Amino acid sequence: MLWSKVISFALVSLALAHLQTALQEESFSACPANFTQVGEKCLMVDSMWKTWYEADRNCRSLSAGLVSVENSVQLKLIQDWLPIAAQYTLEFWTSGNSLGSPGKYFWQNTGSSATYLPWATDQPKTDAGDCLTLYANYSMATGEFVIDVHRLRVNNCTLWAKSICEIEPKAYKTLVCLNSSAFYEAQIPV
């Protein structure tokens, strides 16, 4: 009888010594490499000049899409981020277009109708094209290069501009595990 208790105790002790136990669980989100979290989106400026079609294909090759601007809060966050990410750049492709529906704009990467359209001065000019860029006017009146805020502008999809790719932040769960000789921290995609 004593022998069976000793063996049971030894087996339980051995199992506990090698068992990894999750002590703490924490969730967070992060952007992929080369993307920056701006509000609830991860954004990346592509500094290469491309047509709208090339820019869209490039973003998709990164499992992302061209940026969409769905409200004034998103626009303000993007406008605050652009001078840091792409100083002195005046124009960027967005996912906005009216391809197939002249005069009616959609966000390509979400498929939703573009209801928030913060137009640049003298826009929209529907005869200028079918794709939307974020465009900023500039001035050198003070002797310095001064860029205005970026607003939407209709442009020909075959012209060249830089672009902004967007992707949702990836959710992760952090587990802290303990065993007999050390503890480990693992970040697991959710």
Side-chain angles (χ1 to χ4, degrees):
M1 185 78 145
L2 180 60
W3 209 212
S4 65
K5 287 183 180 180
V6 169
I7 291 173
S8 296
F9 179 78
L11 288 174
V12 169
S13 296
L14 184 61
L16 289 175
H18 293 290
L19 182 66
Q20 295 186 355
T21 307
L23 296 175
Q24 176 183 357
E25 186 176 310
E26 181 180 301
S27 296
F28 69 97
S29 58
C31 295
N34 300 323
F35 283 80
T36 303
Q37 188 153 357
V38 178
E40 296 180 9
K41 298 181 179 192
C42 296
L43 302 180
M44 180 194 78
V45 170
D46 181 359
S47 60
M48 300 297 292
W49 291 75
K50 295 178 171 72
T51 67
W52 184 87
Y53 303 103
E54 293 167 334
D56 182 57
R57 190 170 41 249
N58 179 64
C59 289
R60 289 180 187 280
S61 76
L62 301 169
S63 299
L66 284 168
V67 71
S68 57
V69 183
E70 295 161 355
N71 57 53
S72 60
V73 173
Q74 285 181 1
L75 178 62
K76 176 72 172 123
L77 289 168
I78 292 168
Q79 289 173 340
D80 291 346
W81 171 73
L82 279 175
I84 298 162
Q87 190 176 23
Y88 306 121
T89 303
L90 298 176
E91 192 165 28
F92 303 92
W93 287 120
T94 71
S95 73
N97 69 76
S98 65
L99 296 169
S101 301
K104 186 169 175 140
Y105 296 96
F106 296 89
W107 297 117
Q108 176 83 6
N109 66 337
T110 64
S112 62
S113 181
T115 55
Y116 176 71
L117 295 165
W119 295 113
T121 307
D122 299 327
Q123 290 293 320
K125 291 184 180 175
T126 55
D127 59 342
D130 293 311
C131 296
L132 300 182
T133 59
L134 276 174
Y135 177 79
N137 287 316
Y138 71 94
S139 168
M140 294 203 50
T142 62
E144 275 187 53
F145 186 75
V146 178
I147 295 180
D148 236 353
V149 294
H150 287 79
R151 312 286 285 177
L152 291 176
R153 175 179 166 182
V154 178
N155 215 336
N156 184 319
C157 305
T158 61
L159 296 178
W160 289 358
K162 294 182 179 184
S163 59
I164 302 171
C165 297
E166 80 173 16
I167 192 170
E168 288 187 26
K170 182 90 172 147
Y172 290 91
K173 180 170 47 172
T174 300
L175 296 175
V176 177
C177 303
L178 177 67
N179 74 15
S180 61
S181 61
F183 75 92
Y184 304 95
E185 186 173 283
Q187 295 175 346
I188 303 164
V190 177

